[in-house]
Amino acid sequence: MKMREKCLPKGLYRRGTRYWVDVTVAGERVRQPAGDTVEEARAQLARLHGEARVGRTAAGPTVAALIERYLDRQAIRVRPGSLQSARTCCKRLREHLGERRVGTLAVEDLD
């Protein structure tokens, strides 16, 4: 293995003969092939970080999707009365923030 391959930046790794990018952008994990050379992989990583800074990538799931996932998990774990309480609490969140992407929320949105 070459010396520079040992010192790959965070988010790059080698699998077989290809390099891969593995980063979290706006709350979503992005894993994709990045090329056959270290230079291509570094360029791909820089491109992803650049897109994240200007907001071109997805900003995570919607609040409604997360609420639905939460309620599905609660349906398995808790008693029916507790599930009904959770649904009631989440109803207002869904009404006000349901279609918003999680990555676009700010503290001011939650006041």
Side-chain angles (χ1 to χ4, degrees):
M1 189 180 288
K2 296 177 185 174
M3 180 57 139
R4 64 182 172 176
E5 290 176 4
K6 290 181 182 179
C7 301
L8 292 174
K10 183 178 179 182
L12 284 183
Y13 66 97
R14 188 172 183 165
R15 184 173 183 188
T17 60
R18 303 228 27 190
Y19 290 91
W20 285 70
V21 174
D22 184 5
V23 293
T24 302
V25 177
E28 288 188 14
R29 188 173 186 185
V30 176
R31 289 184 288 181
Q32 55 186 247
D36 295 324
T37 66
V38 174
E39 291 77 21
E40 290 175 358
R42 287 178 192 261
Q44 178 76 357
L45 183 65
R47 185 185 64 77
L48 279 174
H49 285 300
E51 287 179 0
R53 275 190 225 105
V54 296
R56 291 187 186 155
T57 56
T62 63
V63 172
L66 289 180
I67 289 171
E68 200 59 39
R69 195 164 107 194
Y70 168 75
L71 291 174
D72 287 344
R73 289 182 180 178
Q74 289 300 95
I76 297 168
R77 295 180 178 162
V78 300
R79 293 181 176 171
S82 298
L83 180 60
Q84 187 57 42
S85 293
R87 283 189 177 129
T88 302
C89 291
C90 291
K91 182 179 177 183
R92 211 153 178 206
L93 276 175
R94 188 179 291 159
E95 289 172 0
H96 294 286
L97 301 172
E99 297 307 314
R100 297 275 309 267
R101 297 256 175 211
V102 174
T104 64
L105 294 177
V107 173
E108 297 80 29
D109 296 327
L110 304 176
D111 285 339

